[in-house]
Structure formats: C-alpha cells, structure tokens
Amino acid sequence: MNALRQASPWVVTGKYLALAFYVAFALFPLYWLAKIAVTPDKLIFSEGTALVPSRFTFENFQTVLLQTDFLAYFRNSLIVSLVTAAVTTMIAAAAGYAFSRFDFRGKRLIIALMLITQMFPLLMIIAPIYKIVAALGLLNSLTSLIIVYTAFNIPFATFLMQSFFDGIPKDLEDAGMIDGCTRFEALRKIVLPLTLPGLGATLGFIFTAAWSELLFALMLINSNDAMTFPVGLLTFVSKFSVDWGQMMAAGVLALVPSCLFFIFIQRYLVQGLTSGAVKG
Amino acid sequence: MVEPYLYLSPAVIVIALVMLVPLAIGISYAFQAVNLLRPFQTGWVGFENFQALWSDRKFWLALTNTFWWTLGSIIFQFFLGLGLALLLNTRFYGKRLVQALVFLPWAVPTFLSALTWAWLFNPTIGPLPHWLAALGILSEPFNILGDPNLAMWGPITANVWFGIPFFAITLLAALQSIPGELYEAAEIDGASTWQKFTKITLPFLAPMIAITVMLRTIWIANFADLIFVMTGGGPANSTQILSTYIFTTAFRKLDFGYASAIAVALLGLLLIYAAVLLVLRRKLVKI
C-alpha cells in the first residue's frame, strides 16, 4: 500500500530545490575560478563581476605552462602524492588486515595510539620535525615530505582499510587455506582482489590529502626546485599579485588530478564507511 | 602468534618515529627556551613559557577566536552535511552525478579553496560583495576580509563549503546501514515522517554523530591553512586563532619554545573537550 502512496508535489519540488542549492553552492566557487582563468587579461577587472566573460582565451594556461615553473611544481607534487599514496596504502592495508582478522595482545593499545595521532594538533610537532629534518640534512627534499605525509595518513587509511576488510567474509580465506594456501597467499590471491575498490578509495583519498598539504611543505621546502604545487602557487600569489588570470589558470590545473581521483572514489568511500559503520 | 604484529609493524614504526617521538620532543620544548634567533640562551625554564602565555593578550584573543571559528564552522558544516546526507539517501533523477558534484569541494586542495574564496570576497574580481550589498546585508560592496568585525566569516564560509562533504559522506554511510524494515514497521504503525526521523534515524545516527562531531571539532580547531592563506590572522589579529598563532610564532619569530607552549595549551583544552564529549556520549547514547 505504502509503495503506492505518492509524495506530495510540494515535497518533491522542495527536494529538487534543496539539491539544486547544494550543487550550486558546491560548484559556484569552482566555476568562478575557471571563469577568471579563461577571461582575457584586459577584461578581468572591467568585467570582474559578470557571470560570463564576453570573450574567452586560453592564453593564461599557455603562459602558466610554458613561462613559469608550474610544470616543475606539478611534477614535484605528483611524485610526492603518488609515492605517499602508494606507500601509505600498502602499510595501511597490512595494518587494517591485522585489525580486521586477528585478536592479539596490545590491539586496543595500538588502536588507541592511532586515535591519539588524530587528536593532537599537528602543529605541535612542527618544530621538532623541522629540527629533525634539518639535522638529517633533508630540508628541501621531497623525501622528507613523503615520510611526513605517509606517517600522517597511516592512521585514517588503516581504519578505512579495516572497514573494507570487515566487509569481506572471513570464510573466503578459510576456504583458501583449506585448499592449501598459506594465509599470505590467501590474502594476496583471494582477499586483495576483492578489496580493489577499497584500495582504490584509500589510494585516492591519500593522494588528495598529500596533494593539498600546505603548512609542512611551506616549512620544509624553500628551494624553488623542490616546491610542491601549493607552496609554488602561494609564492606566486605574493610575487605577482596582479596576475589574477595566471593564478586562476594555475589553480584550475591544480584542481584536475585530485578532482579526477575523487569523482572516481567517492562511491567507494561511502561503501567502505557503510560496511565499517554496521559493526561500529 | 606473530602474524598480526608483522602486518602492523611498518605502521607502528612509522607512526612512532615520525609522530610520537616528535610529539614528546614538542611537549618538552614547551618547558625550554628554544629560540633560533637566540641560539645561546637555551635550557630548561620550567613554566616560564606558560607564565608568559597567561599574560599574553594575543593568546587570549586567539583563544576566543578559535572558539568562534570552531563553533561557527562546525554548526553549519554539521547541519548542512546532515541535510545533504538525508537528501542523498532518497531516490531522485541523476543521483550519481549529483553525489559526485556535491562531494567535490572536499577534493579541492585547501590552499586553493582558500584562494578561491578570498577572490570571491574581493570586490574587484568577485561577485559576493556586490550580491551582499544588493541584498542589503552590506551597506556597500567592500571586502569583509578587511573588516575586523566581519573578517572571520570569510574563512568560516570557506570551511563550511569545504567541510559539508565530510559530514555528508560519513552520515550517508551511517544512514545506509539502518535496516529498512524498521521504517516499514513504523509506517504500518502509522508513524509520521518526523516521528520516523526522531525515533529511528536520529538514534541510529547518534554514535556516528558523536564521533564525527568530536573528530571534526578537534580537526577544525587545529586547522590553520584556510585562515593562514585568506587573512594571515589579520586584520588586527581579528582572525588569529591558536593554530595560526603557533605557526607564526614558530616560523616568523622562530620561537619554538613559546610556540610549543601554545600548542600544549591547545592540546590540553582539546583533551578536556574530548573527555567531556565521551562522557556525554556514554550518558546519552544507549547502544
């Protein structure tokens, strides 16, 4: 009976209006960023507040790509984010598997330890890390960023991976082990292939986080050669504060990798959290 | 059984070396003089940094600002995020596309959302001041980021924009794990939509709400990037929060000891907050 009951047209209209509001709110700033990036320099101020520019140009993108160091920043960020995401996901998958499948002495302590790292201000460790990195001679190296980002992201990635593993029935490995695999083989051949969406979601999530990190990159990197995208763009802003169009074009370029990743992974994120939440 | 320890060891080793050891060192800095501009005056100073903190007007101002920044951000993020999760949990045309689009702000690098919102608030290239003036909210289209009384709304708006998806994703996941039979049974009993929401949905969401609100509050209180990029703590320290104060003390004044003392104070306050919330959760959530 209830299936036949129609929602009132007012409720339906209200729902679509609310959805439209959310979509507009989410997209408007990004639209504005893209709009200024394709507006010819001369029109940026005279048509500053117009919704659509009267002419388009890709000159700003050309300038940014060919005449500035942005490709180098882009490459540095790509290296840091990809390596961080790969290493973190491997370490977190192993740890998440241990949490999901084993009961062992010290489990609660290690979980508590990981939760604590989510609670204290990261700025607390900014000074000691600076001193340690300097003492090791790793200032201005991408390696230092990769190590720091990996450590930052392991706790959340571990909990995420754990919830993905929790969603996969334990019987599958047991069956594999009865057929003569070791547990590690069962993990590699049976469980991991099923966790691919989870691995992808974690990979994408960590990539995005590393791609965006600003303060530690600002602190540990001073040389132009090793700058990541956020630091590069910020120094760009303070050096050439008049070049709105170029900054916006650089901004659009910075958006592309993380947004592509995110659109791909967001469904799996909800899925992974759902399977974890059931056990909660 | 060594197997679980083998799987866990890389994670534990990295976290211990890169986070817990520096944390211990950081706490110890709070009780020392560590100023790179005065390299020869070092050593233990007891509670001197904290005494200086107690009489530092900028610290108290930053503490008040941290409170408003966190409260303002969390309230809007949470309620708008909850609304979005409830909407996304229903059926409608183009759901997959809408879901990908509304989650997008979370993927935008923070520094870039900060820059973008700073540009939107700038009257020469952004529309917001003109719209606000047209609506009569502003007397004339000026940049609120330059007004000490209003500046905090800039970073808060950017933060709400950036943070809604997080609440929406986690709450949507929690909503999807509620068994559908509960709603069917309630409907047969003639429950209204509001009753179903308060008697089924909210109790089921409560544990997730408690944990996400707690984690997010702590995270926002610690979150310096948006303010750092949009206002740099200005104008006249009106958007200076504790975490930006920590950052500038450490890297403009190079006074690591004092910066660590501020950080320890912030950590203490957050621990008290988390403890209160956990006790409340145990009392209120009966699951």
Side-chain angles (χ1 to χ4, degrees):
Chain A
M1 284 298 278
N2 281 317
L4 295 176
R5 200 173 72 188
Q6 293 283 319
S8 93
W10 289 108
V11 173
V12 175
T13 318
K15 188 166 107 180
Y16 280 96
L17 276 179
L19 284 166
F21 160 78
Y22 276 107
V23 173
F25 184 50
L27 293 187
F28 182 70
L30 302 178
Y31 169 74
W32 207 256
L33 182 72
K35 187 214 102 168
I36 298 185
V38 298
T39 306
D41 278 347
K42 279 181 235 151
L43 301 180
I44 285 181
F45 291 100
S46 57
E47 295 185 2
T49 57
L51 274 177
V52 185
S54 55
R55 279 188 293 122
F56 298 91
T57 174
F58 286 98
E59 218 171 90
N60 289 322
F61 288 92
Q62 264 178 5
T63 321
V64 163
L65 286 175
L66 301 177
Q67 291 169 29
T68 66
D69 292 328
F70 266 98
L71 276 181
Y73 302 153
F74 202 86
R75 196 202 55 209
N76 290 339
S77 264
L78 211 56
I79 293 172
V80 169
S81 308
L82 283 175
V83 177
T84 301
V87 175
T88 307
T89 305
M90 270 195 300
I91 295 178
Y97 185 73
F99 282 156
S100 172
R101 291 300 197 259
F102 296 96
D103 255 323
F104 51 91
R105 192 185 285 266
K107 182 172 175 177
R108 290 179 69 94
L109 178 76
I110 298 179
I111 291 182
L113 216 73
M114 288 199 176
L115 275 177
I116 287 173
T117 64
Q118 302 294 293
M119 309 241 321
F120 68 80
L122 283 182
L123 286 164
M124 255 214 85
I125 59 174
I126 205 162
I129 286 203
Y130 180 83
K131 283 200 137 187
I132 294 171
V133 168
L136 293 172
L138 286 174
L139 282 181
N140 288 318
S141 76
L142 298 181
T143 317
S144 65
L145 285 186
I146 291 171
I147 294 172
V148 172
Y149 293 174
T150 301
F152 285 180
N153 286 305
I154 284 176
F156 185 78
T158 300
F159 294 131
L160 201 59
M161 281 311 301
Q162 181 193 352
S163 71
F164 282 113
F165 283 122
D166 284 346
I168 294 172
K170 224 172 171 173
D171 309 349
L172 287 174
E173 288 135 283
D174 293 342
M177 289 195 300
I178 289 167
D179 288 345
C181 320
T182 63
R183 178 179 282 274
F184 184 72
E185 282 171 340
L187 170 62
R188 197 165 54 88
K189 290 184 188 154
I190 304 170
V191 183
L192 277 186
L194 289 171
T195 328
L196 276 183
L199 287 170
T202 311
L203 210 64
F205 185 84
I206 307 304
F207 179 92
T208 318
W211 186 266
S212 322
E213 207 286 331
L214 173 68
L215 292 184
F216 275 82
L218 207 57
M219 176 187 83
L220 297 175
I221 307 288
N222 287 313
S223 86
N224 199 46
D225 300 337
M227 272 182 193
T228 55
F229 215 111
V231 186
L233 192 62
L234 261 200
T235 49
F236 196 72
V237 170
S238 44
K239 261 189 234 156
F240 312 97
S241 55
V242 279
D243 262 327
W244 295 102
Q246 283 182 34
M247 284 191 288
M248 303 276 184
V252 171
L253 293 174
L255 259 177
V256 174
S258 55
C259 285
L260 283 182
F261 254 112
F262 199 76
I263 289 175
F264 167 71
I265 64 162
Q266 44 87 18
R267 264 186 313 135
Y268 301 118
L269 268 180
V270 176
Q271 217 177 67
L273 289 167
T274 308
S275 58
V278 180
K279 304 213 165 178
Chain B
M1 194 171 62
V2 282
E3 229 180 331
Y5 300 106
L6 276 181
Y7 289 126
L8 272 168
S9 53
V12 172
I13 291 170
V14 173
I15 290 175
L17 286 181
V18 185
M19 300 186 83
L20 298 180
V21 170
L23 178 68
I25 299 175
I27 293 175
S28 81
Y29 278 177
F31 303 93
Q32 300 177 55
V34 192
N35 190 332
L36 296 193
L37 295 179
R38 274 172 284 166
F40 301 109
Q41 293 173 22
T42 55
W44 297 90
V45 294
F47 285 91
E48 223 171 77
N49 283 325
F50 290 98
Q51 278 163 3
L53 208 60
W54 188 258
S55 49
D56 179 357
R57 270 192 45 232
K58 253 177 112 179
F59 169 76
W60 294 105
L61 179 63
L63 185 62
T64 321
N65 288 339
T66 306
F67 176 77
W68 289 117
W69 150 253
T70 310
L71 188 73
S73 302
I74 197 98
I75 283 181
F76 286 107
Q77 282 186 3
F78 171 71
F79 282 105
L80 288 168
L82 177 63
L84 182 57
L86 289 170
L87 281 169
L88 288 176
N89 200 37
T90 63
R91 247 176 292 181
F92 55 87
Y93 290 109
K95 182 167 164 179
R96 276 187 153 192
L97 179 68
V98 169
Q99 182 171 317
L101 292 181
V102 290
F103 286 170
L104 206 55
W106 204 27
V108 175
T110 325
F111 71 95
L112 192 61
S113 28
L115 288 174
T116 309
W117 279 99
W119 293 328
L120 285 171
F121 279 115
N122 184 322
T124 42
I125 56 162
L128 289 185
H130 302 273
W131 291 356
L132 291 174
L135 287 170
I137 296 170
L138 293 184
S139 54
E140 52 171 339
F142 64 91
N143 193 345
I144 67 157
L145 296 179
D147 180 333
N149 294 319
L150 297 172
M152 191 57 104
W153 285 109
I156 287 180
T157 310
N159 199 13
V160 170
W161 180 75
F162 168 71
I164 290 174
F166 175 84
F167 276 111
I169 289 177
T170 47
L171 293 175
L172 177 61
L175 282 173
Q176 288 181 349
S177 68
I178 302 177
E181 303 94 65
L182 286 178
Y183 290 106
E184 284 162 28
E187 233 162 85
I188 292 170
D189 291 344
S192 69
T193 310
W194 178 246
Q195 279 171 327
K196 278 185 279 180
F197 179 70
T198 52
K199 299 276 162 54
I200 302 175
T201 312
L202 271 188
F204 256 91
L205 288 185
M208 187 62 125
I209 291 176
I211 193 79
T212 47
V213 167
M214 184 181 86
L215 283 177
R216 279 279 111 174
T217 311
I218 292 170
W219 198 80
I220 294 171
N222 287 325
F223 185 40
D225 300 31
L226 281 176
I227 292 183
F228 187 80
V229 175
M230 286 180 80
T231 64
N237 287 316
S238 61
T239 58
Q240 188 79 273
I241 59 170
L242 287 177
S243 39
T244 53
Y245 194 32
I246 296 170
F247 194 82
T248 48
T249 309
F251 289 95
R252 296 265 159 75
K253 297 191 186 145
L254 298 176
D255 192 342
F256 288 177
Y258 197 57
S260 289
I262 308 171
V264 169
L266 177 57
L267 177 63
L269 290 170
L270 292 175
L271 285 178
I272 293 170
Y273 165 79
V276 170
L277 211 68
L278 286 177
V279 170
L280 277 180
R281 179 188 152 151
R282 203 168 299 154
K283 285 210 168 140
L284 295 176
V285 179
K286 296 178 190 78
I287 289 181

